[in-house]
Amino acid sequence: MNSIKLKTNGYLIRPLKSSDASDRYLSWLLDEKISRTLDSDGKNQTLKSIVKYIQSHNNKTDFLFGIFIKNPKNIEGEHIGNISFRFQPRHKLANIGIMIGDCNYWGKGAPLETREKVIDWAFDNLNCNKIEAGCYSINMPAIYNFKRQHWEMEGIQKDHRIVENKNVDLILFGMRKEVWYANRNT
Amino acid sequence: MQIETHDAKKVISIALGVDDVEIPNNASIGNFKRWDSLGHFKIVLQLESTIRRSLQTDEVLSIVDIPSIQKILNTS
């Protein structure tokens, strides 16, 4: 499973290795405009904690995929973000989360393009029936992306997080395999 | 009905910086190029500015096309 390599038009996606922990990656977590919509506590992150986090994924059911720019001839370019993917075989259920750390790739469809590939991989190759995800109510681009991909809103947890001293809701989304396949090319 | 469509279109028009006539009546997430993730954010902000209040999370989630924006305008 460690050799999974997924390709989209513009990106390469593969499980991160310890050696992918970098100052660049750390700078994303320390940047409040990025970490404000993440569940991780950015302020306390170090290169060591990133390595530990990468190593906590077994690459069998728990994956931390890196998103890399795809250069000509499929050569791996810069690391621009991550997709976490945790699969519970017992329930045929996975959880997916995405972070685009390099702000130069915000608003360019990277989450849609890369998450689509990982979802395709999960439904096509794992015995997975459903994928769940969530985002804060202040994260409009994420909400747009969930709507665009036909995710079903499954609940709103009111005042579930505090961002910049304000309560925000946590929105829960679900994608069932049958819904994904029905909307795959729309 | 045409006037109502115009109101919602006006919100989109101001938010995305496009002329009303360039916005198709069936404009929605996924079928109008200018309505991308950043555009969506701008539409929500413009709608909040128009109705002079913050949208509830369920209202934000309901925004997918012109009628859904019109519905919020009509009830605010």
Side-chain angles (χ1 to χ4, degrees):
Chain A
M1 281 286 203
N2 206 5
S3 61
I4 295 165
K5 281 189 180 169
L6 305 173
K7 285 178 203 167
T8 70
N9 284 337
Y11 306 97
L12 297 173
I13 304 160
R14 63 154 174 86
L16 287 180
K17 301 174 285 195
S18 299
S19 57
D20 291 310
S22 65
D23 288 333
R24 176 179 165 78
Y25 181 172
L26 179 61
S27 72
W28 302 337
L29 302 178
L30 298 176
D31 184 340
E32 277 190 26
K33 76 173 180 290
I34 296 168
S35 64
R36 68 195 283 272
T37 54
L38 300 177
D39 259 346
S40 66
D41 182 7
K43 280 180 293 190
N44 298 319
Q45 299 293 337
T46 61
L47 277 177
K48 212 171 176 178
S49 67
I50 291 176
V51 170
K52 202 173 166 187
Y53 179 60
I54 292 171
Q55 290 175 342
S56 72
H57 297 79
N58 62 19
N59 291 322
K60 289 175 186 155
T61 53
D62 292 357
F63 298 86
L64 182 63
F65 293 107
I67 303 169
F68 298 85
I69 299 300
K70 190 173 87 175
N71 286 327
K73 296 183 183 173
N74 292 331
I75 292 171
E76 186 177 293
E78 276 194 310
H79 181 199
I80 64 149
N82 296 339
I83 295 177
S84 69
F85 184 90
R86 294 183 183 272
F87 180 49
Q88 301 175 55
R90 183 182 166 201
H91 299 295
K92 300 181 182 179
L93 173 72
N95 181 290
I96 195 167
I98 188 162
M99 168 188 72
I100 301 298
D102 187 330
C103 308
N104 295 317
Y105 289 88
W106 287 7
K108 294 186 175 171
L112 285 171
E113 187 174 328
T114 54
R115 185 168 61 195
E116 178 182 315
K117 197 72 187 177
V118 172
I119 296 172
D120 275 343
W121 165 78
F123 284 145
D124 290 347
N125 296 285
L126 304 177
N127 192 15
C128 178
N129 280 346
K130 185 179 175 185
I131 300 174
E132 61 175 359
C135 74
Y136 297 172
S137 52
I138 54 168
N139 193 348
M140 297 301 159
I143 292 170
Y144 169 89
N145 287 334
F146 283 118
K147 294 293 219 178
R148 176 87 188 265
Q149 281 183 328
H150 306 282
W151 287 70
E152 295 170 306
M153 196 277 287
E154 298 191 328
I156 299 170
Q157 293 182 301
K158 293 294 208 185
D159 298 339
H160 205 66
R161 294 285 188 274
I162 295 174
V163 179
E164 291 154 4
N165 298 319
K166 285 182 188 162
N167 290 316
V168 300
D169 301 341
L170 179 65
I171 309 168
L172 307 175
F173 290 94
M175 176 57 74
R176 290 174 293 131
K177 192 175 191 172
E178 68 212 58
V179 174
W180 182 253
Y181 284 137
N183 290 295
R184 202 171 199 174
N185 297 313
T186 61
Chain B
M1 194 60 163
Q2 214 167 358
I3 294 168
E4 285 185 1
T5 304
H6 180 72
D7 289 337
K9 274 193 176 181
K10 195 79 194 164
V11 170
I12 299 171
S13 162
I14 296 168
L16 303 184
V18 293
D19 203 281
D20 296 24
V21 293
E22 291 178 44
I23 303 169
N25 288 333
N26 67 345
S28 68
I29 283 179
N31 80 351
F32 182 43
K33 203 177 174 186
R34 299 291 291 268
W35 191 339
D36 57 10
S37 59
L38 182 60
H40 191 70
F41 183 43
K42 289 177 178 173
I43 289 169
V44 171
L45 290 181
Q46 182 57 42
L47 187 51
E48 287 183 332
S49 165
T50 303
I51 62 176
R52 294 180 190 161
R53 67 171 175 84
S54 297
L55 293 175
Q56 298 295 310
T57 299
D58 53 351
E59 290 176 313
V60 171
L61 286 163
S62 74
I63 299 170
V64 289
D65 54 16
I66 292 175
S68 59
I69 293 171
Q70 193 62 53
K71 191 176 173 191
I72 294 171
L73 287 169
N74 291 347
T75 55
S76 295

